[in-house]
Amino acid sequence: MEENMWIIELESALLDDCNVNDIYGICQGKAVPEALRPDVWQVCLDVRHKSDQMSLFNEIYDLPFQSQLREDCQRHVDRMGNDEEDKVSVVSDLESIITFYCKNRNLQYEPENGWIELLLPLFALKLNRSDTFNLFESIRDTYIPKGCRPKGNVFHVFRLLLLYHDPELCTLLDTKKITPDLYSLTWFQSLFASCSSLSVIIAMWDLYFQNADPFMVFFLALIILINGREQILQMRSSSKEEIIKFLALMPCALEFDDVPDFCSLSQYYALKTPTSFKTDYLKALYGKQNDTPRSQEEANKVSQALCLPVSVYELVENSATEFPVPDAVRFFLVDCRPAEQYNAGHLSTAFHLDCNLMLQEPVAFATAVQGLLTAQRQAIEANSNAGGEHLCFMGSGRVEEDQYTHMVVASFLQKNTHYVSLLTGGYASIHDYFGDHMADCLEDHNVRKCLVCQQHNVQQTKSAPLKASTPSSTDLFSKFSAAMKSKSAEVKGKLLDIIVNPSANGGASASGSNGVQATPAQERHVSAKERNGKRYRNVAPVFSIDDENEEPFDGAGERDDQPLAGDGKEIVNLNQYFKTADIINAFKCQEVHMSGYMYDSHLIITPGQLVVLRELGRGQAQIMVRRPLASIVKITAKKRHRDLITFKYGFPDGDGLLITDMDRFLIPNAAEATALVSSHIMKVLDNAK
């Protein structure tokens, strides 16, 4: 009885209008009972309350390719071995759904495009035609990557993933001119439905839809190749056609009992992959299946990528995290700029490998590479923030110089080095990310010699007026700086014994040499206890797009140190809480803590408050804080990361603002959320006048 309690809980949740998070928390990887599967899939695919779209179908079958579609439907259904009566019904519904889908989306059906294979498992749920259509449409939009065609963008991305985790296998396939689309096209088009048995597909999709990760198909495909790598490598002497045929049929060997391990391995490899892989390619690969000129630009960009790109946001957050999740990505940053640029400013945890040495002094370069590998191993053993098994190479961000950085990266890939990535935008992106906080976050930064600073100075002289600078002591950046510098010290001595810097200075310029003090800004931050100003009543809050900095915060009001007003840490049931009458809207988001940790949360907007709920699992959440809307004095967003929103609280202090506290969130619908918050702040302030 106890073993089946989760089924009773699942039944109850389905009656109580649950969501995919509730399903995942209850099932936790278990096979969904057959009787509950239709409801579970509809909840996971968010179509439970969707309208009957098929009622709009005029039942006219007049597409240019109609006869081809009818033949293909008949052929696939004949393979199923159903009764004749069932076959007629299934063929009719198949043709109706695909015909309406083409007309509704202005798409053309093509033979072997995976649509029929994707639809057939859905008929096992025995739903009506309308519900089946809604499931099919949702799966296509949510889980089938755009560009699933020969040489499509999706396969360039998959090749980068394979290169990251198994460069030897990737190189073999490249040598044979076997691109991923030649063997995995049907895998991605149909989520493996075209090459696996129905029982395997049902079990796999149970887990797939619960995880709600559109990129899971990439990692499942990766696992198939890695599991069969020994057999593939032994086929070096085989023909291209033989290898393609072998690869394409590999998923056919999957059995029902293999599915849980298969999916668990995919999640493990997802954890071992930089999150930039998902964030950078999400918009390019997923969404409504309509091609645009921009999607073609993205395809060209990906197809020309040397290796997996990593965003500056991920690199900085990764380096500042004190206690990473076991097995998660940990970067070892390799700065490949020329020595004079490195000595004019660099991250303290970066290992310097002068890319010019590769051509000018090959022996010294080989020695430096050995030193790099030794330093990396020692940093990992020391459990340092400065060290990880994932190599992230960084150039200058200047095209003319980065060609040498690319040569260095290519040399590591040729040696089948695992986990090789390249920082998008190079050093220039790090420089821009820190903005006015460079003094805290960069080592030996010399404004006069730094090429990025010189370029910015030229641009600023052409534009006027200049903005007033802000202090460079935010809690986020000082936290990053402290973490980076303290951890880098653990391996600094070892690096000096190994590396010979070709520059006479050796990068050993005196610390604190820039000697520049920050200009006082109008905005200052105080402890939550300091309440010596008037309430902020007569000035509207500001929502600004800030592309360089986040204003200072001394951390005095940080949530973990002292309780906030109205913060009772109350535990609530999410479903019940969302039914509260005074909730205007709720936005699913991630709370970004000052320590760098991110928590799955919900941002709740009521007529007078901003409420933060942190998910605890099993449909429960904790009320972390209730903020009066009137206390919000500023809302900012990074221009490069518009979804990273900071709410600042305080009151006026003379001509400036006194900031008493702040919250930061990663909100997928940031523009909608901030606009709604701003409008309700105005209402609150207008009512208070």
Side-chain angles (χ1 to χ4, degrees):
M1 183 66 182
E2 292 181 3
E3 292 179 357
N4 294 327
M5 280 299 295
W6 71 274
I7 298 178
I8 298 172
E9 189 177 355
L10 179 60
E11 290 175 338
S12 175
L14 290 170
L15 292 172
D16 197 26
D17 200 20
C18 59
N19 58 36
V20 64
N21 293 325
D22 301 323
I23 299 290
Y24 181 80
I26 295 169
C27 296
Q28 296 185 351
K30 301 183 187 76
V32 176
E34 186 176 352
L36 301 180
R37 184 170 290 118
D39 286 328
V40 168
W41 284 18
Q42 286 179 308
V43 169
C44 291
L45 291 164
D46 197 24
V47 297
R48 202 178 191 189
H49 304 296
K50 202 163 187 179
S51 61
D52 180 3
Q53 297 185 79
M54 287 295 294
S55 63
L56 303 175
F57 183 36
N58 58 13
E59 302 292 342
I60 297 176
Y61 300 86
D62 57 353
L63 296 174
F65 41 82
Q66 198 72 54
S67 59
Q68 178 68 59
L69 171 59
R70 187 166 297 142
E71 289 175 14
D72 290 347
C73 290
Q74 186 68 57
R75 189 177 72 255
H76 279 84
V77 173
D78 285 343
R79 295 176 188 167
M80 296 172 62
N82 291 26
D83 295 336
E84 286 302 319
E85 188 176 338
D86 289 341
K87 286 183 180 180
V88 173
S89 173
V90 172
V91 169
S92 173
D93 286 347
L94 264 178
E95 186 178 359
S96 299
I97 289 171
I98 294 177
T99 300
F100 177 65
Y101 183 68
C102 290
K103 290 185 174 185
N104 194 38
R105 291 293 185 88
N106 194 25
L107 296 172
Q108 278 200 326
Y109 169 78
E110 297 174 2
E112 309 299 331
N113 66 359
W115 293 3
I116 296 175
E117 292 92 333
L118 193 66
L119 260 168
L120 286 175
L122 300 179
F123 283 97
L125 302 183
K126 302 189 184 305
L127 292 167
N128 61 45
R129 192 175 66 167
S130 175
D131 288 338
T132 303
F133 173 85
N134 288 339
L135 285 173
F136 170 72
E137 184 183 51
S138 180
I139 294 172
R140 287 273 303 151
D141 287 345
T142 311
Y143 294 113
I144 306 299
K146 289 183 279 190
C148 274
R149 63 176 66 88
K151 299 181 181 178
N153 197 18
V154 56
F155 302 108
H156 298 310
V157 174
F158 179 59
R159 182 192 164 276
L160 292 178
L161 183 66
L162 178 61
L163 180 66
Y164 192 78
H165 288 282
D166 199 331
E168 182 182 7
L169 185 55
C170 185
T171 301
L172 170 64
L173 297 177
D174 287 349
T175 303
K176 293 282 188 179
K177 296 184 178 179
I178 300 174
T179 53
D181 55 301
L182 295 177
Y183 59 85
S184 65
L185 178 61
T186 59
W187 304 357
F188 285 89
Q189 284 178 337
S190 65
L191 296 186
F192 298 98
S194 63
C195 48
S196 301
S197 67
L198 180 62
S199 61
V200 168
I201 289 304
I202 295 295
M204 187 190 303
W205 288 7
D206 273 348
L207 299 176
Y208 206 112
F209 300 149
Q210 288 176 47
N211 278 288
D213 179 7
F215 285 91
M216 191 171 176
V217 66
F218 285 88
F219 295 99
L220 292 173
L222 178 68
I223 297 304
I224 286 173
L225 292 184
I226 289 177
N227 279 354
R229 76 182 305 275
E230 296 305 323
Q231 293 168 281
I232 300 169
L233 293 175
Q234 289 172 7
M235 298 179 71
R236 292 178 188 273
S237 58
S238 301
S239 68
K240 176 181 177 179
E241 291 71 23
E242 287 176 326
I243 297 176
I244 291 173
K245 183 179 180 180
F246 175 78
L247 293 173
L249 295 175
M250 286 178 71
C252 297
L254 276 174
E255 297 181 0
F256 177 81
D257 292 337
D258 298 328
V259 172
D261 290 339
F262 183 43
C263 293
S264 295
L265 277 172
S266 75
Q267 291 174 308
Y268 171 77
Y269 273 85
L271 187 65
K272 299 279 284 184
T273 304
T275 57
S276 303
F277 173 73
K278 296 182 179 181
T279 55
D280 287 0
Y281 296 135
L282 182 62
K283 289 182 180 178
L285 291 176
Y286 291 98
K288 286 198 173 181
Q289 302 279 338
N290 295 319
D291 289 336
T292 62
R294 183 168 182 177
S295 65
Q296 187 56 46
E297 290 176 18
E298 290 288 340
N300 295 335
K301 184 177 176 182
V302 174
S303 65
Q304 295 167 8
L306 178 62
C307 61
L308 207 65
V310 168
S311 69
V312 63
Y313 178 78
E314 179 177 11
L315 177 71
V316 172
E317 292 294 318
N318 184 281
S319 302
T321 302
E322 288 285 348
F323 305 105
V325 177
D327 294 321
V329 171
R330 206 78 181 132
F331 291 115
F332 186 85
L333 181 61
V334 183
D335 192 331
C336 295
R337 294 175 297 148
E340 62 274 9
Q341 293 185 34
Y342 176 84
N343 293 331
H346 57 269
L347 285 177
S348 57
T349 52
F351 183 102
H352 184 224
L353 181 66
D354 191 340
C355 59
N356 290 335
L357 286 179
M358 189 173 182
L359 297 178
Q360 296 172 0
E361 300 179 52
V363 176
F365 178 77
T367 303
V369 169
Q370 289 303 313
L372 182 155
L373 298 174
T374 303
Q376 181 191 24
R377 186 176 64 253
Q378 292 174 339
I380 293 172
E381 291 172 354
N383 196 28
S384 167
N385 271 29
E389 58 182 345
H390 296 255
L391 289 170
C392 183
F393 290 86
M394 178 180 76
S396 65
R398 299 155 63 92
V399 177
E400 63 274 15
E401 293 166 359
D402 283 350
Q403 57 182 324
Y404 299 108
T405 299
H406 293 168
M407 290 173 62
V408 171
V409 173
S411 71
F412 277 80
L413 292 173
Q414 287 169 359
K415 295 172 185 173
N416 296 327
T417 307
H418 286 63
Y419 309 137
V420 171
S421 61
L422 189 63
L423 178 66
T424 303
Y427 174 74
S429 65
I430 290 180
H431 193 285
D432 292 344
Y433 181 87
F434 289 136
D436 292 343
H437 309 290
M438 285 177 292
D440 290 329
C441 303
L442 294 179
E443 189 112 335
D444 302 332
H445 183 250
N446 188 321
V447 177
R448 295 180 180 179
K449 294 182 179 180
C450 174
L451 295 182
V452 182
C453 284
Q454 291 176 10
Q455 184 180 0
H456 285 182
N457 290 338
V458 171
Q459 292 173 349
Q460 286 179 353
T461 55
K462 294 180 181 178
S463 61
L466 294 176
K467 291 182 180 180
S469 60
T470 55
S472 55
S473 59
T474 73
D475 187 65
L476 174 63
F477 290 111
S478 60
K479 182 88 176 176
F480 167 82
S481 177
M484 294 281 277
K485 291 179 180 179
S486 65
K487 292 297 181 181
S488 65
E490 298 174 12
V491 293
K492 186 77 75 176
K494 297 172 184 176
L495 299 185
L496 294 176
D497 293 337
I498 300 167
I499 305 305
V500 178
N501 191 321
S503 166
N505 294 333
S509 51
S511 60
S513 59
N514 70 20
V516 179
Q517 291 185 350
T519 341
Q522 292 183 331
E523 199 173 305
R524 68 189 184 93
H525 295 72
V526 297
S527 163
K529 297 175 182 177
E530 187 178 342
R531 303 289 183 185
N532 53 2
K534 296 180 180 179
R535 295 295 296 161
Y536 190 47
R537 290 290 182 191
N538 301 320
V539 186
V542 180
F543 173 55
S544 61
I545 300 298
D546 181 4
D547 62 343
E548 285 190 350
N549 54 59
E550 295 283 358
E551 284 72 7
F553 177 60
D554 64 4
E558 192 174 335
R559 189 171 303 152
D560 286 349
D561 296 332
Q562 49 187 292
L564 299 170
D567 183 7
K569 303 292 186 187
E570 179 186 350
I571 305 294
V572 298
N573 179 283
L574 277 173
N575 285 329
Q576 293 177 358
Y577 193 86
F578 287 149
K579 294 174 183 176
T580 304
D582 63 347
I583 290 181
I584 297 168
N585 208 336
F587 295 90
K588 190 166 175 56
C589 62
Q590 287 183 300
E591 181 190 0
V592 183
H593 201 264
M594 293 301 168
S595 64
Y597 283 103
M598 299 176 74
Y599 302 94
D600 290 336
S601 304
H602 297 268
L603 194 64
I604 311 296
I605 302 169
T606 73
Q609 291 184 325
L610 198 66
V611 183
V612 180
L613 298 181
R614 183 181 296 174
E615 290 186 5
L616 300 177
R618 303 182 72 84
Q620 291 190 315
Q622 190 173 41
I623 298 179
M624 300 307 297
V625 70
R626 291 185 177 92
R627 304 284 194 186
L629 290 178
S631 69
I632 301 175
V633 295
K634 199 162 190 180
I635 308 173
T636 61
K638 284 281 185 184
K639 190 170 184 180
R640 291 175 182 269
H641 305 284
R642 292 180 180 271
D643 293 344
L644 185 61
I645 304 298
T646 303
F647 292 94
K648 301 180 182 183
Y649 314 95
F651 44 86
D653 180 34
D655 294 332
L657 298 173
L658 220 58
I659 305 299
T660 58
D661 214 338
M662 64 190 285
D663 292 317
R664 185 176 282 113
F665 305 95
L666 199 59
I667 312 174
N669 300 325
E672 181 185 351
T674 51
L676 189 62
V677 171
S678 296
S679 67
H680 282 279
I681 291 173
M682 296 301 297
K683 289 180 182 178
V684 170
L685 296 178
D686 289 342
N687 293 336
K689 288 181 181 179

